[in-house]
């Protein structure tokens, strides 16, 4: 299931040699081979797909893509040679475009219809480079710039070139050319100070400054652990800080809460783990994370979305709500200052509601679509994703089954209709499915409206057809390059 794309620096500077006489490019090749061996220990690696991209000009930079098998990947890796410029920006853009090639065909991004964490294509992009100055035919650059224009149809629908299930990691080789007489420093590997580091962090990944072979092996062990199924979310606090919790676990209103000082847990850019279903082997879910706009049939086009949704959490303690048979989705958060803060409060029986700004029609903050809650054992924090505006829906459904016995009166129907008006249209279908599972199939009409205009729906279909053409042309150019590797065609 995971896609592992290796982006190898094949600029001329990768011919430089370490104190052992090995070139940087040979070290990069060895690192890829060792990573594959380490990864093979995990039975889940049987579903991995490997891709290989270099710093060559597109489309010649793609050495192994969607169609090439593992044998081709290994053969192309073995035959890599270092020559040319350090065109990291273009190489990254080509890598992300390659990863995104199938997304419009599969509909995985679900533009304008909410984001489904359970519908994902987890990808790890590992670049191995010497971190030298970025070069082009025109100049030498200090900053990393990715080309703004992509040949991929539909790329304008997302502001960034990457998606929420794609993370970038960089192994920046800083091995000396002469043997060091100083003892090797032990401990964690620091991030590098080159231009690639910020790009890694923006995607939810990181860089490693590699100074010795031992550090390289340590990094590869760490990277194997990073191969996780999940999506990156920006968690942002809204409203005041909570009251501090005293040593007895009760709220302490006499201690200052320091509400106005920025704290690390106020804003976290982290993964939520999307675990595969134990029976089917693929993730299963019911509810989307809402869009940051209200779908309107008068909208001629979709507003571009950010790669990572901004999920705002309110620090007002609420009671976790669930009712019998209504499905919900549960995702564990990657450890962060936010999870640490919530766990230290030791309040597993309360939760903090989550929102997406502008997702509602009548409310700027939007209505809650779930909550953050510490596990009962206080070992992790989970994001519970519920139906939109669930604090209104759940009491209604509770009354429907317990009071009205599935025969609602006029007052209940009016309250339910009022609730539906607060619901983004793309929630109607999953809600109808959930009600059917609960034994109430006829509460929502069969004539469902997705909320998108005809022009937007037509455009998305057209994009899917264009991507098929682009994909076919890429495969032809790859076949041509394989047949005539030195041709100018």
């Amino acid at each position: 299931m995971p896609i592992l794309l290796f982006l190898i620096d094949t600029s001329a500077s990768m011919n430089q040699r370490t104190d052992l006489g090995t070139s940087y490019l040979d070290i990069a090749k060895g690192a890829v081979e060792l990573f594959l061996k380490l990864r093979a220990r995990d039975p889940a690696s049987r579903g991995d797909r490997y891709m290989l991209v270099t710093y060559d000009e597109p489309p010649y930079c793609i050495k192994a893509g969607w169609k090439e098998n593992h044998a081709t990947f290994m053969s192309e890796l073995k035959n890599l040679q270092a020559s040319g410029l350090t065109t990291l920006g273009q190489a990254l853009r080509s890598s992300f475009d390659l990863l995104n090639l199938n997304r419009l065909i599969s509909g995985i991004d679900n533009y304008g219809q909410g984001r489904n964490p359970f519908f994902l294509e987890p990808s790890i992009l590992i670049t191995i480079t010497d971190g030298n100055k970025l070069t082009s035919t025109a100049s030498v650059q200090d900053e990393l710039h990715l080309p703004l224009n992509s040949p991929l149809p539909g790329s304008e629908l997302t502001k960034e070139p990457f998606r929420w299930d794609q993370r970038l990691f960089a192994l920046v080789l800083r091995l000396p050319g002469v043997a060091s007489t100083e003892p090797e420093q032990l401990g964690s590997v620091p991030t590098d100070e080159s231009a690639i580091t910020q790009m890694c962090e923006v995607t939810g990944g990181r860089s490693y400054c590699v100074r010795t072979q031992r550090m390289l092996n340590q990094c590869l062990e760490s990277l194997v652990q990073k191969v996780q199924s999940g999506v990156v979310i920006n968690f942002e606090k809204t409203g005041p800080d909570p009251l501090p919790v005293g040593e007895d676990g009760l709220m302490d209103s006499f201690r200052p809460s320091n509400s106005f000082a920025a704290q690390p847990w106020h804003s976290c850019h982290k993964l939520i783990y999307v675990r595969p279903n134990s029976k089917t082997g693929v993730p299963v879910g019911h509810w989307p994370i809402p869009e940051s706009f209200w779908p309107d049939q008068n909208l001629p086009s979709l507003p571009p979305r950010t790669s990572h949704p901004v999920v705002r959490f309110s620090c007002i303690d609420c009671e976790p709500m669930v009712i019998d048979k209504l499905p919900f989705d549960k995702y564990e958060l990657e450890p962060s200052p936010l999870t640490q803060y919530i766990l230290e409060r030791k309040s597993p029986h309360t939760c903090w509601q989550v929102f997406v700004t502008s997702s509602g029609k009548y409310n700027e903050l939007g209505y809650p679509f779930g909550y953050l809650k510490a596990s009962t054992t206080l070992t992790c924090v989970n994001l519970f994703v519920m139906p939109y505006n669930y604090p209104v829906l759940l009491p209604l459904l509770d009354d429907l089954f317990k009071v009205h016995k599935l025969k609602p009166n006029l007052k209940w129907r009016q309250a339910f209709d009022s609730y539906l008006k607060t619901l983004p249209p793309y929630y109607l279908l999953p809600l109808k499915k959930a009600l059917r599972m609960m034994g109430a199939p006829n509460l929502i009409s069969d004539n469902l409206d997705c909320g998108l205009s005809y022009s937007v729906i037509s455009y998305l279909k057209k994009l899917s057809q264009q991507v098929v053409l682009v994909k076919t042309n890429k495969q032809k150019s790859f076949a041509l390059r394989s047949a005539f590797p030195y041709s100018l065609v």
Side-chain angles (χ1 to χ4, degrees):
M1 187 185 177
I3 299 168
L4 297 153
L5 188 152
F6 292 92
L7 172 58
I8 308 298
D9 183 348
T10 49
S11 62
S13 58
M14 290 291 282
N15 286 315
Q16 63 183 300
R17 297 189 178 273
T18 69
D19 61 322
L20 298 175
T22 316
S23 76
Y24 271 27
L25 183 59
D26 286 335
I27 287 174
K29 291 178 183 179
V32 174
E33 290 175 357
L34 179 55
F35 179 93
L36 299 186
K37 287 178 184 174
L38 294 172
R39 174 66 181 152
R41 296 174 185 169
D42 186 344
S45 66
R46 275 176 256 169
D48 291 353
R49 175 183 288 279
Y50 292 99
M51 297 183 179
L52 184 64
V53 180
T54 68
Y55 282 22
D56 292 347
E57 284 290 312
Y60 306 107
C61 58
I62 300 170
K63 306 299 180 184
W66 287 99
K67 287 289 183 182
E68 287 66 52
N69 58 24
H70 192 64
T72 302
F73 174 93
M74 296 305 295
S75 172
E76 291 285 349
L77 177 69
K78 183 181 177 183
N79 293 328
L80 291 184
Q81 295 181 349
S83 62
L85 302 170
T86 310
T87 52
L88 176 58
Q90 179 62 66
L92 280 171
R93 180 89 228 195
S94 297
S95 299
F96 287 125
D97 283 351
L98 176 63
L99 289 174
N100 296 333
L101 196 56
N102 283 328
R103 296 178 80 94
L104 272 171
I105 301 171
S106 66
I108 194 170
D109 289 311
N110 208 36
Y111 287 111
Q113 299 288 283
R115 308 184 195 224
N116 295 314
F118 48 87
F119 198 8
L120 77 168
E121 215 166 54
S123 306
I124 301 285
L125 198 159
I126 301 170
T127 184
I128 308 179
T129 177
D130 60 6
N132 272 5
K133 291 278 188 181
L134 308 174
T135 54
S136 68
T137 52
S139 64
V140 177
Q141 297 126 12
D142 290 318
E143 295 182 354
L144 175 60
H145 296 284
L146 273 66
L148 292 175
N149 297 322
S150 166
L152 199 63
S155 57
E156 79 284 354
L157 293 172
T158 306
K159 292 179 180 179
E160 300 88 355
F162 52 86
R163 303 294 180 264
W164 66 340
D165 50 3
Q166 299 167 356
R167 290 177 294 151
L168 172 65
F169 295 88
L171 296 172
V172 185
L173 304 179
R174 303 287 188 186
L175 289 82
V178 291
S180 173
T181 55
E182 295 183 13
E184 187 175 338
Q185 299 270 326
L186 298 177
S188 59
V189 181
T191 57
D192 195 69
E193 294 181 2
S194 59
I196 188 72
T197 295
Q198 188 178 2
M199 185 69 191
C200 291
E201 290 171 354
V202 163
T203 66
R206 61 157 293 185
S207 69
Y208 299 87
C209 180
V210 181
R211 299 193 181 277
T212 66
Q213 184 65 47
R214 187 197 63 80
M215 286 175 89
L216 179 58
N217 294 346
Q218 186 180 339
C219 294
L220 293 170
E221 290 274 9
S222 169
L223 280 173
V224 168
Q225 302 303 316
K226 303 287 186 188
V227 184
Q228 298 275 1
S229 177
V231 294
V232 176
I233 290 178
N234 280 323
F235 288 99
E236 304 273 352
K237 180 181 78 83
T238 184
D241 282 10
L243 287 171
V245 175
E247 292 179 10
D248 56 1
L250 299 173
M251 299 299 167
D252 189 347
S253 57
F254 296 102
R255 286 169 61 197
S257 67
N258 207 17
S259 274
F260 300 104
Q263 303 291 331
W265 64 269
H266 287 178
S267 177
C268 284
H269 185 68
K270 287 291 181 178
L271 202 68
I272 59 168
Y273 301 120
V274 182
R275 312 286 190 201
N277 181 280
S278 56
K279 293 179 182 176
T280 62
V282 296
V284 175
H286 301 90
W287 309 105
I289 290 173
E291 299 280 1
S292 58
F293 70 96
W294 181 270
D296 189 329
Q297 291 207 332
N298 296 318
L299 278 178
S301 60
L302 289 174
R305 64 159 60 146
T306 56
S307 290
H308 304 140
V310 177
V311 170
R312 304 198 180 277
F313 59 92
S314 164
C315 301
I316 299 169
D317 285 340
C318 297
E319 187 181 338
M321 295 177 75
V322 286
I323 63 169
D324 195 30
K325 296 183 182 177
L326 180 70
F328 61 85
D329 303 325
K330 179 180 171 184
Y331 305 103
E332 182 187 337
L333 272 66
E334 182 182 16
S336 69
L338 174 59
T339 60
Q340 182 182 346
Y341 182 81
I342 292 174
L343 292 173
E344 285 174 353
R345 290 177 60 78
K346 297 181 180 177
S347 301
H349 304 298
T350 61
C351 66
W352 289 351
Q353 292 180 339
V354 290
F355 308 79
V356 169
T357 303
S358 303
S359 58
K361 191 173 185 180
Y362 309 106
N363 182 338
E364 186 183 349
L365 181 60
Y367 293 101
F369 68 91
Y371 49 82
L372 294 173
K373 179 186 171 300
S375 63
T376 310
T377 54
L378 294 175
T379 52
C380 66
V381 174
N382 294 303
L383 169 66
F384 287 78
V385 180
M386 310 285 289
Y388 193 77
N389 200 5
Y390 72 92
V392 172
L393 174 67
L394 269 60
L396 280 171
L397 293 182
D398 213 31
D399 283 352
L400 176 68
F401 287 91
K402 292 179 179 176
V403 177
H404 301 289
K405 310 295 183 188
L406 288 174
K407 294 179 180 177
N409 58 19
L410 179 61
K411 185 180 177 183
W412 187 95
R413 286 192 176 277
Q414 287 172 340
F416 186 68
D417 287 343
S418 296
Y419 161 75
L420 291 180
K421 289 175 183 174
T422 69
L423 202 65
Y426 48 83
Y427 272 91
L428 289 170
L429 184 58
L431 180 58
K432 187 172 177 63
K433 285 181 181 176
L435 292 172
R436 190 185 306 126
M437 287 166 57
M438 295 176 76
N442 302 316
L443 289 175
I444 296 175
S445 163
D446 288 329
N447 301 320
L448 296 179
D449 170 25
C450 68
L452 299 181
S453 65
Y454 175 76
S455 61
V456 167
I457 295 169
S458 301
Y459 179 63
L460 291 173
K461 285 181 181 175
K462 183 181 172 185
L463 285 179
S464 177
Q465 292 162 359
Q466 288 176 349
V467 170
V468 172
L469 287 174
V470 169
K471 193 175 175 184
T472 305
N473 291 337
K474 277 185 182 286
Q475 286 161 6
K476 284 179 181 175
S477 68
F478 185 86
L480 202 60
R481 182 186 64 75
S482 302
F484 306 103
Y486 305 109
S487 138
L488 297 176
V489 181

